[in-house]
Amino acid sequence: MEKIVWKGFKHNYKNFIAFFISIVLSVSVLFLLAYLSQAAGMVKGIETDALAFAYRSELKGQIRAVIPVVILITVLVVGYSVQFYIQSRVKDYGMLKILGIQRKDMRRMVVREYVLSCGIACGAGIILGKIGTMLSGGVLGRMAGQSFAEGISMKKVYIYTAILCAGMIAGSLLAVFMAADAKGMTGVLQRDAAKEGRIEAPQSVLYFLAGAGMIAGGFFMVDNEPMMAHIAVFLVCAGVIVCLLFGMGYILEKFRNCAYYRRHILSWNHVYHYWKRHRSRVVIQMLLGVLAVYFSFLMIRGTLHGRLMPNDFVCISKAGSEEAFLGKMQSDFGAECVWFPFVWVNEPGSDSWIGMSETDYNRIFGGEAELAEDEVFRVWREEGSRESMLDNSGTKRLESVTLGRCTNTEWEEPEGAESIGYDFRIQGEKIEELLGFSLTGIVVLPDGVMKDAADRGKFHQVLMILNVDEENLAGATAFAEEQRSDGVLEEAFCRRTIEGIDRKESVLNRLISGIVVGAVVMLGMFVAWLVHFSEIDEKRARHKFLCVLGMDRRQARRVADVEILRSVLVPVLLAAGVSWGFCRTFLAAYYDGSDIAGADKRLLLAIIFAYVAGEAVFCVLNQVWCKRQLEKE
């Protein structure tokens, strides 16, 4: 049995290389993602009780969302390579069946063959991934601090990768078992023959219209609500799938019957049948390009702009305990500070706001608010706010809002406290940065309502805004964090601390986007090359046939170049066009129709250019390889 396995490797090593490389690439990418997941877990963020959503690192959650997508892509790649390798071994398996090998022996041999090959490939993939983690660790050590890079647990990385590798091997074996009997091999051949049938489906027009509607719906969604971009991009991708896979039949048939098609029948007939045979691969390659451009743009874009934080500290304490803290900050660090009592203003199903009294707002921020008992004035923070939010000022209402503690966290009301719903009319609102630190903004309340809400909710706390000179910032930050850990302050948002977290997240963000996008594009290239590799005999026969028809070698090579270029660059250009249109729509909506930020626009252009250029280089190399294969006797 072992001799048969080794002979199978020896005589099919060229075909086996494709399967081997697919496993190696997949494992190395998963190893790197496991490493970066551990690194992301070390970015602790700032845990708060009064505002649970503030400054917790989202990187680990993003990686957990990315890993299933990468696994799905690797499964597709391994599936293509397994299918190709099985087809190359059809004669071998059929001969063994003729020689009388029983099915259980055949399965045992196949298990040994693929467990051995997957084991070797996984080991090579881990070695390649380890090299990648050494390079990534060097970048993290240089950009985020050596202690940060050294604290990553490699033991957990190996365990996590081993689990993923075991699942991948199990999936590969399942694919092999589904194709490793005589009926399965016959079915493969029958399926290939069935693809030559014509596409005649008038109902495909309905599919095309439905897909076009889904694409338009995705663009409409992101144009009206940029924060729904993740859902919108998947809706666009689903529309592309419906259009290209199910909605092209009738269009292709009509095109096939036109005069232009008949005048160029040799070229377009090949396109017609190539599309029917490989439309799934073309659609997958296009979708991979769209997702690669979109997610890399979205992740890197967040690292281009510094966080808007106009104040050095925003701190929260119980009323009456702020004097000692403020006195220390002023005497030891020369802090400039303002403070005021506040309550949380909780909109149903929305973020919480800082609520302050009309008198404090006019005194501290120089406002001129004059409010009736049922009116409020709202101040949005600058970051993420749009002018369209202010269109209905004076007519909008805040209904069923609760005043007191923040409802974003789980808390128990003090004994005797009352949670009462209030209804207000918004007298006016504006966009101005007063607090920073990702707090939604300020709601100015009538003095009587403010006092009533604090008394009813038994919520008497003060919010302090402080600024110090740069030379005192490090000491003041250490003191504020110490006061928070000792319980003197209930919350302390420190600009220096948050900038350190942002710096680490930016480095990891770029590493993750670079690795994921690079892996997705590389795996897409590998699938395209694998298809060309599996059809090289067919291409060689077609090349010779064109020469027999009277074409000279130069013309025949030009035909081959056009076919290869078209099969690779058409999905790439479609992906670039869809990505460009979607991301431009997102930016225009995010900036509320104003001019697109120059840095964001340049980043989008750079990512699309890099994507198209990388695919173009691959196409040229693929053309050179295919030419050499076609000219072999």
Side-chain angles (χ1 to χ4, degrees):
M1 188 73 69
E2 287 75 10
K3 290 183 179 180
I4 296 177
V5 172
W6 284 112
K7 284 186 178 181
F9 286 146
K10 182 179 179 180
H11 293 288
N12 294 276
Y13 72 94
K14 289 185 178 180
N15 297 332
F16 176 73
I17 286 175
F19 175 74
F20 183 82
I21 292 176
S22 67
I23 298 291
V24 171
L25 292 177
S26 301
V27 173
S28 61
V29 170
L30 294 177
F31 189 89
L32 276 170
L33 287 178
Y35 176 81
L36 293 176
S37 178
Q38 293 299 315
M42 297 179 61
V43 183
K44 300 300 182 183
I46 298 176
E47 299 292 332
T48 70
D49 293 327
L51 199 59
F53 57 80
Y55 295 105
R56 288 180 178 174
S57 176
E58 298 179 355
L59 275 176
K60 198 159 188 177
Q62 290 175 351
I63 294 178
R64 287 174 179 172
V66 165
I67 286 178
V69 177
V70 174
I71 291 176
L72 178 60
I73 294 170
T74 57
V75 167
L76 291 173
V77 173
V78 173
Y80 271 102
S81 61
V82 168
Q83 182 184 12
F84 167 67
Y85 188 62
I86 288 295
Q87 288 176 341
S88 69
R89 298 293 306 275
V90 168
K91 293 182 180 179
D92 294 342
Y93 294 139
M95 184 62 68
L96 291 173
K97 289 285 290 182
I98 292 173
L99 291 176
I101 292 183
Q102 297 181 359
R103 178 171 294 184
K104 63 178 182 179
D105 293 328
M106 175 77 77
R107 288 182 180 273
R108 190 181 299 116
M109 184 195 71
V110 169
V111 167
R112 291 184 182 182
E113 182 175 341
Y114 281 89
V115 168
L116 178 61
S117 59
C118 287
I120 296 173
C122 287
I126 289 176
I127 293 173
L128 183 61
K130 178 62 177 176
I131 296 173
T133 59
M134 293 172 64
L135 297 175
S136 300
V139 174
L140 288 175
R142 189 166 55 254
M143 302 294 294
Q146 195 62 38
S147 60
F148 179 80
E150 293 174 351
I152 299 173
S153 173
M154 292 304 299
K155 180 179 179 181
K156 293 182 179 179
V157 173
Y158 283 110
I159 293 174
Y160 191 31
T161 306
I163 294 172
L164 295 177
C165 288
M168 186 178 299
I169 292 174
S172 300
L173 288 175
L174 179 61
V176 171
F177 283 142
M178 293 174 62
D181 55 63
K183 292 183 179 180
M185 301 305 171
T186 305
V188 171
L189 299 177
Q190 289 175 349
R191 283 194 299 272
D192 288 340
K195 289 179 181 178
E196 297 300 322
R198 299 186 67 185
I199 307 174
E200 294 184 6
Q203 65 268 28
S204 66
V205 175
L206 299 178
Y207 284 112
F208 186 85
L209 294 176
M214 295 170 70
I215 295 173
F219 276 85
F220 179 80
M221 180 183 295
V222 75
D223 184 53
N224 283 271
E225 183 49 65
M227 296 300 104
M228 299 289 287
H230 282 355
I231 297 176
V233 74
F234 283 110
L235 183 61
V236 170
C237 290
V240 169
I241 292 173
V242 173
C243 277
L244 296 182
L245 290 186
F246 307 106
M248 295 295 293
Y250 189 75
I251 296 173
L252 287 176
E253 284 301 315
K254 288 297 183 182
F255 176 63
R256 186 184 175 109
N257 294 326
C258 70
Y260 176 82
Y261 187 97
R262 294 192 181 96
R263 287 198 303 269
H264 304 84
I265 191 167
L266 283 178
S267 176
W268 282 107
N269 197 55
H270 179 265
V271 173
Y272 178 85
H273 289 287
Y274 186 88
W275 168 256
K276 290 190 296 179
R277 294 174 61 187
H278 299 295
R279 55 184 174 179
S280 297
R281 195 271 303 170
V282 173
V283 171
I284 288 172
Q285 188 178 356
M286 178 185 171
L287 294 181
L288 291 180
V290 171
L291 295 177
V293 172
Y294 168 72
F295 280 107
S296 60
F297 169 72
L298 209 64
M299 293 182 73
I300 298 176
R301 174 183 168 271
T303 67
L304 294 180
H305 309 288
R307 194 186 296 271
L308 183 60
M309 292 184 291
N311 304 299
D312 293 331
F313 303 92
V314 171
C315 304
I316 298 173
S317 71
K318 292 183 179 179
S321 63
E322 72 277 3
E323 290 87 353
F325 172 73
L326 292 176
K328 181 77 172 178
M329 291 289 284
Q330 289 174 322
S331 61
D332 290 6
F333 305 106
E336 299 178 356
C337 54
V338 296
W339 64 273
F340 54 87
F342 81 99
V343 295
W344 292 105
V345 179
N346 304 293
E347 294 186 61
S350 184
D351 291 338
S352 297
W353 297 63
I354 296 292
M356 64 183 302
S357 69
E358 171 188 351
T359 300
D360 286 334
Y361 173 74
N362 291 334
R363 173 178 57 85
I364 296 172
F365 298 113
E368 298 180 355
E370 296 182 4
L371 304 174
E373 285 300 310
D374 63 341
E375 291 181 336
V376 295
F377 186 84
R378 195 155 61 171
V379 183
W380 293 85
R381 67 187 309 259
E382 290 184 4
E383 193 171 36
S385 300
R386 296 177 289 161
E387 291 295 331
S388 60
M389 296 174 175
L390 313 181
D391 291 344
N392 298 317
S393 297
T395 60
K396 289 189 294 188
R397 298 188 62 83
L398 288 179
E399 297 181 347
S400 301
V401 298
T402 57
L403 308 181
R405 284 172 170 74
C406 180
T407 58
N408 286 321
T409 59
E410 296 181 2
W411 55 277
E412 296 182 2
E413 291 186 349
E415 185 177 350
E418 298 181 45
S419 295
I420 300 177
Y422 292 81
D423 294 331
F424 296 108
R425 182 176 67 85
I426 300 177
Q427 183 202 74
E429 49 192 342
K430 65 179 180 179
I431 298 174
E432 183 179 359
E433 195 65 66
L434 300 178
L435 300 176
F437 297 92
S438 291
L439 302 175
T440 305
I442 288 177
V443 175
V444 182
L445 301 167
D447 291 345
V449 173
M450 173 74 185
K451 183 178 185 306
D452 180 66
D455 291 340
R456 286 174 178 267
K458 297 188 178 300
F459 186 85
H460 296 281
Q461 290 182 310
V462 297
L463 187 139
M464 298 166 279
I465 303 174
L466 302 95
N467 294 299
V468 301
D469 294 333
E470 186 64 31
E471 61 269 17
N472 297 327
L473 186 58
T477 300
F479 174 69
E481 291 177 343
E482 176 187 354
Q483 294 291 290
R484 181 181 184 275
S485 63
D486 291 343
V488 176
L489 297 177
E490 295 195 356
E491 302 295 345
F493 300 99
C494 308
R495 177 172 62 84
R496 187 185 181 100
T497 302
I498 293 171
E499 286 176 344
I501 295 171
D502 286 345
R503 184 173 60 256
K504 294 175 182 177
E505 286 200 342
S506 295
V507 173
L508 283 170
N509 233 331
R510 297 189 180 193
L511 271 177
I512 292 168
S513 60
I515 290 172
V516 171
V517 172
V520 168
V521 173
M522 182 171 56
L523 292 173
M525 291 178 180
F526 180 78
V527 170
W529 173 80
L530 189 62
V531 171
H532 289 298
F533 185 43
S534 64
E535 295 180 343
I536 198 65
D537 292 335
E538 178 185 336
K539 292 180 184 296
R540 187 180 293 120
R542 176 178 169 80
H543 181 74
K544 292 181 179 179
F545 177 71
L546 292 177
C547 293
V548 170
L549 289 179
M551 284 189 180
D552 57 29
R553 287 179 177 269
R554 183 179 177 183
Q555 290 175 320
R557 281 197 299 267
R558 187 181 299 116
V559 171
D561 288 344
V562 171
E563 291 175 358
I564 297 168
L565 184 70
R566 186 164 47 205
S567 65
V568 175
L569 285 189
V570 166
V572 170
L573 295 177
L574 288 174
V578 172
S579 303
W580 169 257
F582 186 84
C583 292
R584 281 293 299 262
T585 303
F586 165 78
L587 286 175
Y590 186 83
Y591 290 104
D592 199 22
S594 61
D595 293 337
I596 295 176
D600 292 346
K601 185 177 180 180
R602 288 191 295 271
L603 173 65
L604 178 58
L605 287 172
I607 290 174
I608 292 179
F609 176 79
Y611 168 67
V612 175
E615 293 283 359
V617 171
F618 161 74
C619 188
V620 170
L621 296 176
N622 194 37
Q623 279 183 317
V624 173
W625 178 83
C626 285
K627 284 181 184 178
R628 292 179 179 177
Q629 298 299 316
L630 291 178
E631 293 174 355
K632 286 183 179 180
E633 293 296 335

